[in-house]
């Protein structure tokens, strides 16, 4: 399905122009308009899936191999020393466009702000309790 009011549906399907790095039958990879670093791109499926929980299996299985190809191209072509994959699911997680997309952010290793969290603390009991609350949904 494609949604008329979804900006990434329209970009991925070429209705709205974008600077496209790569395109195939299932995906378009475009440059982010507000890049975290030079060369930050978004991998966007042409079909509409709001987030990772809706992505179909066929599409999902192509996402990481394609991200790896792009990461290799960032290293070879841009001189990136590494890259981050970032993928936000839901407003609470910072997702602003409700059409699945994977950020691929090249890293050059000098003075960049990294997307890290402050390490917290947990006890074994807490981890066990969390595991049993989620575990029944994974069976
Ligand atoms: P997220 O917060 O994960 O939903 O990320 C949405 C990303 O899309 C942001 O990094 C925006 O800068 C980027 N973005 C929004 N509109 C466009 C657009 N028309 N072309 C390219 N990137 C866009
Ligand atoms: Zn869409």
């Amino acid at each position: 399905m494609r949604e008329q009011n979804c900006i990434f549906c329209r970009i991925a399907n070429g209705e709205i122009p974008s600077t496209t790095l790569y395109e195939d039958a299932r995906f378009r990879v475009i440059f982010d308009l507000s890049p975290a670093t030079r060369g930050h791109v978004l991998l966007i499926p042409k079909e509409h899936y709001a987030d990772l929980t809706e992505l179909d299996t066929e599409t999902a299985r192509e996402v990481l191999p394609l991200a790896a190809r792009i990461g290799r191209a960032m290293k070879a072509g841009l001189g990136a020393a590494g890259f981050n994959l970032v993928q936000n699911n839901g407003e609470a997680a910072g997702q602003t466009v409700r059409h699945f997309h994977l950020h691929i952010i090249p890293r050059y290793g000098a003075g960049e702000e990294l997307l890290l969290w402050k390490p917290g603390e947990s006890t074994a009991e807490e981890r066990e309790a969390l595991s049993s609350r989620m575990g029944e949904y994974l069976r």
Side-chain angles (χ1 to χ4, degrees):
M1 267 243 319
R2 290 165 193 185
E3 295 200 354
Q4 201 45 43
N5 293 327
C6 171
I7 181 150
F8 280 7
C9 279
R10 301 182 69 193
I11 288 174
N13 293 286
E15 276 175 49
I16 296 176
S18 61
T19 308
T20 294
L21 171 67
Y22 172 88
E23 184 185 3
D24 63 22
R26 227 188 270 277
F27 299 99
R28 185 185 293 267
V29 178
I30 66 166
F31 285 89
D32 197 302
L33 288 184
S34 308
T37 65
R38 183 171 52 86
H40 175 174
V41 298
L42 303 173
L43 187 166
I44 307 174
K46 292 184 174 181
E47 296 294 324
H48 183 87
Y49 308 99
D51 62 28
L52 179 65
T53 65
E54 292 193 359
L55 204 59
D56 78 300
T57 309
E58 272 302 298
T59 305
R61 83 161 46 100
E62 292 183 20
V63 168
L64 279 184
L66 180 52
R69 277 176 74 191
I70 289 164
R72 284 191 287 270
M74 286 171 167
K75 293 171 92 170
L78 304 182
F83 60 95
N84 293 112
L85 302 182
V86 177
Q87 201 272 306
N88 300 325
N89 296 280
E91 212 175 311
Q95 187 180 15
T96 59
V97 180
R98 289 289 288 158
H99 175 129
F100 173 93
H101 52 281
L102 179 67
H103 296 258
I104 309 170
I105 305 173
R107 295 291 172 176
Y108 302 94
E112 291 161 357
E113 203 176 307
L114 289 174
L115 310 158
L116 298 177
W117 56 90
K118 185 167 160 278
E121 289 174 359
S122 73
T123 64
E125 289 76 20
E126 280 168 346
R127 294 191 296 271
E128 286 299 337
L130 293 166
S131 179
S132 53
R133 282 171 64 181
M134 286 189 280
E136 64 178 292
Y137 299 101
L138 298 173
R139 281 187 215 117

